[in-house]
Amino acid sequence: MIAAAFTPYDDLAEWLLPHATEGDDGSHDVAHILRVFKNAMRIHAVEGGDGPVLAAAVLLHDCVSVEKNSPHRTQASRLAAEKAESILAEREEWSKPRIEAVAHAILTHSFSANIAPESLEAKILQDADRLDAIGAVGAARCFYIAGRLGSALYDPADPEAKDRPLDDKRFAIDHFQTKLFKLADGFQTETGQALARARHVRLQTLLSNFLDEI
């Protein structure tokens, strides 16, 4: 059972995983949630914070699915936060302040929402989620989403966009410059920053190898 992978919050996972994802987006599936959970627990072990609040926020941070090319993409984290509140309110043990703490973390985790996280749990969730957007996994997710949205891998006439504007809606590797390479500078915790630096180097190496091969 996949919930067991979320130990020590496997009971929480068993309850919340059925609500955790929508649709068929393989870049925001249960595997993604588990990777973010592992990232979050690694940061939490050093930085502290409320473990159950953080775990619930991780489990529900993508509970509303909005495609990357949707005009409503910037509202995804707000919609997910609202849905999470309604789910957690079903259990008496979840007080209003703790539900609000989960909702704040979910609301502020998204790059596209552009809302600064204020609590430690929110900062950890944002870091944990962004770690999954860089490094080798981040590159794989980038190419997966490009294929899902019908984009090309690169512009054969100008792969590095030396004489054209970057356009990550048309070319997958443009997304490295428009977003992925910018993420490492915005991590909220010291532990997250250290992990991000290592993954940023992997991402740079991967793109360098890709460009060499084409």
Side-chain angles (χ1 to χ4, degrees), residues 4-20:
F6 290 84
T7 301
Y9 302 105
D10 41 320
D11 288 343
L12 189 62
E14 188 171 359
W15 170 34
L16 296 179
L17 278 174
H19 306 283

Side-chain angles (χ1 to χ4, degrees), residues 23 32 48 53 58 67 77-78 106 148-149 158-159 178 181 197-198:
H32 163 70
V53 165
V58 168
E67 288 282 7
S77 62
R78 178 183 61 80
I106 294 172
R148 183 179 176 87
L149 301 180
D158 188 1
T178 60
F181 284 153
R197 285 193 291 270

Side-chain angles (χ1 to χ4, degrees), residues 87-132:
I87 293 168
L88 294 174
E90 296 173 2
R91 299 282 180 95
E92 292 182 0
E93 64 265 30
W94 281 87
S95 65
K96 185 175 180 181
R98 299 188 83 210
I99 292 174
E100 289 175 348
V102 172
H104 171 71
I106 294 172
L107 175 67
T108 59
H109 87 276
S110 171
F111 182 87
S112 57
N114 196 28
I115 303 172
E118 297 178 2
S119 68
L120 177 56
E121 295 78 21
K123 292 176 181 179
I124 293 174
L125 174 60
Q126 187 181 100
D127 282 3
D129 188 57
R130 292 189 181 185
L131 280 171
D132 207 50

Side-chain angles (χ1 to χ4, degrees), residues 78-206:
R78 178 183 61 80
L79 295 171
E82 292 172 354
K83 182 177 176 180
E85 285 183 304
S86 67
I87 293 168
L88 294 174
E90 296 173 2
R91 299 282 180 95
E92 292 182 0
E93 64 265 30
W94 281 87
S95 65
K96 185 175 180 181
R98 299 188 83 210
I99 292 174
E100 289 175 348
V102 172
H104 171 71
I106 294 172
L107 175 67
T108 59
H109 87 276
S110 171
F111 182 87
S112 57
N114 196 28
I115 303 172
E118 297 178 2
S119 68
L120 177 56
E121 295 78 21
K123 292 176 181 179
I124 293 174
L125 174 60
Q126 187 181 100
D127 282 3
D129 188 57
R130 292 189 181 185
L131 280 171
D132 207 50
I134 57 178
V137 170
R141 293 176 73 212
C142 173
F143 291 129
Y144 169 88
I145 292 168
R148 183 179 176 87
L149 301 180
S151 303
L153 288 177
Y154 60 94
D155 179 359
D158 188 1
E160 298 181 70
K162 293 180 178 179
D163 297 305
R164 63 172 177 82
L166 290 165
D167 186 354
D168 61 357
K169 290 182 174 59
R170 294 181 63 201
F171 308 114
I173 66 169
D174 284 20
H175 195 60
F176 284 61
Q177 298 290 350
T178 60
K179 179 180 177 181
L180 302 187
F181 284 153
K182 298 176 181 179
L183 292 179
D185 291 332
F187 277 68
Q188 302 288 329
T189 66
E190 289 188 11
T191 307
Q193 290 167 11
L195 294 170
R197 285 193 291 270
R199 295 200 186 192
H200 183 74
V201 171
R202 293 178 196 170
L203 196 63
Q204 290 177 314
T205 301
L206 191 149

